[in-house]
Amino acid sequence: AQSVTQPDIHITVSEGASLELRCNYSYGATPYLFWYVQSPGQGLQLLLKYFSGDTLVQGIKGFEAEFKRSQSSFNLRKPSVHWSDAAEYFCAVARSGGSYIPTFGRGTSLIVHP
Amino acid sequence: ETGVTQSPTHLIKTRGQQVTLRCSSQSGHNTVSWYQQALGQGPQFIFQYYREEENGRGNFPPRFSGLQFPNYSSELNVNALELDDSALYLCASSLGGQGNYGYTFGSGTRLTVV
């Protein structure tokens, strides 16, 4: 079965600074990978996804993520963080064939200081 | 295009009672998945319905059951509520049984069991 590890429970950055949120997955083949964002009291919004092809994926709100097979990682990055980016971020992995059931990590809480 | 709508938004139930949560999927989506998100955790997969049939189930007991209707809306039923069932219940819809286009999530139903 697939699994996801988000090693950082909380990340604090200053507004305007760069951001990298870590995600490591466990899956035997090439997975489908996702990043979602959740604002307080809200559902999850899809930021970006990777299925195949170019390993650098562009998403909404200026986010990007890079798939590194050798490191089993799919880290999320943003060059300049805005205060409105403060939220909970979830990485998810799904099998690339058969029944699709994404597995989510426990999330990383992003705190943005002015 | 309407998004995913969940009702009610908040609910308080007593231990041992039964509850029904409802979800209207995004227009054009035929797959609905339900997740349980405990406080400070990532979403945990409960089950998925594709064209009115259960398409996958997570590690939840049989007292968690569901339905999908011909219009692709869905219900989650939980019998014999326990205190640990207190959580945010998220519904997500997608197109196709494999859902590899990513999910659209609703804002969730906050269930409190006392």
Side-chain angles (χ1 to χ4, degrees):
Chain A
Q2 66 268 27
S3 66
V4 176
T5 300
Q6 293 182 249
D8 303 305
I9 297 175
H10 302 283
I11 289 281
T12 301
V13 299
S14 298
E15 191 170 16
S18 63
L19 171 70
E20 182 169 30
L21 302 182
R22 296 185 290 166
C23 172
N24 293 99
Y25 67 89
S26 173
Y27 179 59
T30 300
Y32 291 158
L33 294 161
F34 305 84
W35 275 99
Y36 285 86
V37 61
Q38 185 179 36
S39 298
Q42 299 297 313
L44 280 71
Q45 181 183 21
L46 179 65
L47 286 176
L48 47 79
K49 57 184 182 284
Y50 172 80
F51 293 154
S52 64
D54 192 346
T55 56
L56 186 62
V57 180
Q58 301 297 319
I60 62 172
K61 303 185 180 186
F63 286 93
E64 66 178 25
E66 186 172 13
F67 170 57
K68 292 186 177 180
R69 184 191 305 274
S70 61
Q71 299 177 19
S72 297
S73 69
F74 189 56
N75 294 348
L76 182 71
R77 300 194 294 248
K78 187 170 185 178
S80 178
V81 170
H82 188 262
W83 63 267
S84 61
D85 293 325
E88 194 81 19
Y89 290 80
F90 294 94
C91 181
V93 61
R95 293 189 295 166
S96 55
S99 180
Y100 167 91
I101 302 174
T103 299
F104 286 83
R106 64 170 296 165
T108 297
S109 178
L110 175 63
I111 301 164
V112 180
H113 281 167
Chain B
E1 172 179 282
T2 58
V4 175
T5 304
Q6 292 187 242
S7 63
T9 55
H10 297 83
L11 200 54
I12 300 175
K13 288 287 191 177
T14 303
R15 189 172 49 185
Q17 285 188 316
Q18 179 266 344
V19 69
T20 297
L21 310 182
R22 295 178 174 82
C23 172
S24 294
S25 59
Q26 180 170 311
S27 176
H29 285 184
N30 56 13
T31 302
V32 173
S33 301
W34 285 92
Y35 283 81
Q36 180 195 67
Q37 186 179 17
L39 200 61
Q41 301 296 316
Q44 297 295 310
F45 175 73
I46 304 175
F47 43 60
Q48 181 183 85
Y49 280 84
Y50 171 58
R51 293 183 177 177
E52 303 178 58
E53 297 288 330
E54 188 176 286
N55 190 43
R57 188 178 182 91
N59 189 27
F60 280 80
R63 58 189 186 85
F64 285 78
S65 62
L67 282 173
Q68 187 179 31
F69 300 100
N71 66 354
Y72 302 128
S73 65
S74 177
E75 287 183 353
L76 164 65
N77 298 289
V78 187
N79 294 322
L81 284 167
E82 300 177 0
L83 297 179
D84 285 348
D85 295 333
S86 296
L88 180 67
Y89 288 84
L90 295 166
C91 170
S93 72
S94 58
L95 178 61
Q98 294 193 7
N100 54 351
Y101 300 100
Y103 286 168
T104 300
F105 279 85
S107 297
T109 294
R110 173 71 63 185
L111 173 65
T112 302
V113 182
V114 298

